[in-house]
Amino acid sequence: MSQFLGEMMLAAGAITAEQLREAMALHRTSALHIGEALQKLGFVDEVTVTRFLAKQQGMPFVDLDKGKIADAVIARVSQEIALQQEVLPVMEKDRKLFVAVDDPLKRIVADQLHFILGVEVACALAAPAALQRALRRYYGAAGEEEVARSMKAQGGADDTDAPIIRLVTRMFRDALEMRASDIHVEPGHGRVRIRYRVDGMLRDIAEHPAHLHSPLVSRLKIMAAMDIAEKRKPQDGRIGFSIDGREVDVRASILPGNHGETMVLRLLDRSKSLLSLRDLGFEDEDYRWFRRIIKRPNGIVLVTGPTGSGKTTTLYAALSELNRPDVKIITAEDPVEYHIAGINQVQVHPRIGLSFGRILKAMLRCAPNIILVGEIRDAETAEIAIQAALTGHLVFSTLHTNDATSALTRLVDIGVKPFLVSAAVQAVIAQRLVRRLCNECATEYVPAPTEARALLFEASVIQGRKFRRPRGCRACEGSGYRGRIALFEHMEMDSELRDLVFRRENLEVIRSAAERSGRLSTLLVDGARKVLAGSTSATEVMRVTRLAAEVEV
């Protein structure tokens, strides 16, 4: 999206090719967007960038330094809302209110104003500095302090509770509508920042006055059955509720910080159906390989990756494939994320001593065929799971490691004897999630030779082929991506690898042997296939595989 904005400005003659190259170099080495980079280098002003950004996003542009807005229009939005949300009403036409915002991602404010005002609301884009000047001009210089005083003056506890409840409800509803995986409530610098993680990327959604932090966090603590008086220690809790007929489960975590308690709310929409292995992103060859592995009668299959990489979703998809009336499946999970008919699922409760290890011991007395351990966290859990795998059970579990081969050394590191790891592990899958290109606006282009080499493509493979890259439209809210797909790295054990693990060889030796024997298929190989298929972009694949090569996409 960033370069597309630069290309628009170049085509219109607003900047030169040399200026674009300099800005792209700054963009790649900093957190600046391409427009901000061009401004910082002094090549364009803020108004010019905003005009092109509005054109790119399909939004009207408004110059707030020109003309005067009617008092009747200004009166449509209260001072409190205008300053809190940083929006300015500019025009009312055909029963539709147009408001100015300084960021395309703030278009969500239109829904909020529609809810409050009861009229249709549309957004226009304005230069950030011009918007701040206009807010001071039309609503006075009171700023956040006056908003805070006006909200504090609303009355007693009953009066102030209702707005907080509405704020929390709206926050959850907006997050679900935006397909967010988690909500971040972060205090600091006189404000409370609300961010949503959508398709794996954090987005600033709203900022509230600092005085709302305490009642907002207290409300969420009550919902999560946490101790509202404890503000010095980390806490964890769970929230379950229903919005618009959708059953939602939330894992809440609080971390005390210098500016107050930071809260992360991880959302799980139970109304969504389970994904199949095909939906996850398994290509034909990988799909056949994984189905062959999970049909084995015993052994342990591990799925690895960082938090939020879709490990549990992959395991659920595997269990769905194996779930038959003649098979007994028992799971130990923390928490139970999806309820699957025909599967015995057990929730871990550490506070009452119901740990993974204790559940596993009890499980083995129930004669299961297949066992799922939500996560291997310690030596006790690992050893019981491996003993189960060696005594005729098929065991699935997850580990937090960077790649497939690291899972083997990780088990040894946490205290499992090497000969047990060598004998029990059948296969390991490492995975990452990449953003899927928006089908409405993705554009084709001829890849540069350096880009093809970074993805390990031979020149003959990409001869005459085109890659796709993000552009940005209304459907994907300007990001160029919508949804996610998994990249998989898989490794199957053979006699050589078992011997290396038994002899406690280092990670490099094991990985080299796996690649040489063809037992290891890497993340980069799978990512390259998905780039060639047009599912995702080369930039995304290089981002998650941590390639050092800088390729201009």
Side-chain angles (χ1 to χ4, degrees), residues 284-357:
D284 291 343
E285 186 180 335
D286 292 343
Y287 176 67
R288 288 191 294 271
W289 176 87
F290 192 49
R291 277 179 58 86
R292 177 171 58 82
I293 292 295
I294 65 177
K295 293 289 178 70
R296 293 185 178 181
N298 55 59
I300 186 165
V301 177
L302 296 170
V303 180
T304 76
T307 302
S309 60
K311 300 184 296 295
T312 305
T313 304
T314 298
L315 290 180
Y316 274 123
L319 291 186
S320 296
E321 291 255 345
L322 299 170
N323 189 16
R324 301 189 310 271
D326 61 329
V327 175
K328 178 154 187 169
I329 302 174
I330 306 180
T331 74
E333 304 172 64
D334 185 19
V336 175
E337 296 192 4
Y338 291 98
H339 296 285
I340 309 174
I343 293 180
N344 304 277
Q345 296 172 272
V346 184
Q347 169 71 52
V348 172
H349 286 290
R351 290 181 184 176
I352 61 172
L354 198 59
S355 64
F356 278 116

Side-chain angles (χ1 to χ4, degrees), residues 389-407:
L390 292 172
T391 53
H393 303 87
L394 181 60
V395 181
F396 294 99
S397 191
T398 69
L399 269 178
H400 286 203
T401 64
N402 285 330
D403 53 36
T405 48
S406 297

Side-chain angles (χ1 to χ4, degrees), residues 185-188 190-194 206-213 216:
V185 180
E186 302 168 331
R191 295 170 181 256
V192 182
R193 181 170 64 165
I194 307 297
E207 287 186 341
H208 303 301
H211 79 271
L212 287 182
H213 175 252
L216 176 59

Side-chain angles (χ1 to χ4, degrees), residues 453-456 524 538 541-551:
R453 284 197 298 272
L455 293 173
L456 306 182
L524 183 57
V541 171
M542 288 186 282
R543 177 176 66 84
V544 302
T545 55
R546 298 179 176 86
L547 284 182
E550 287 190 3
V551 180

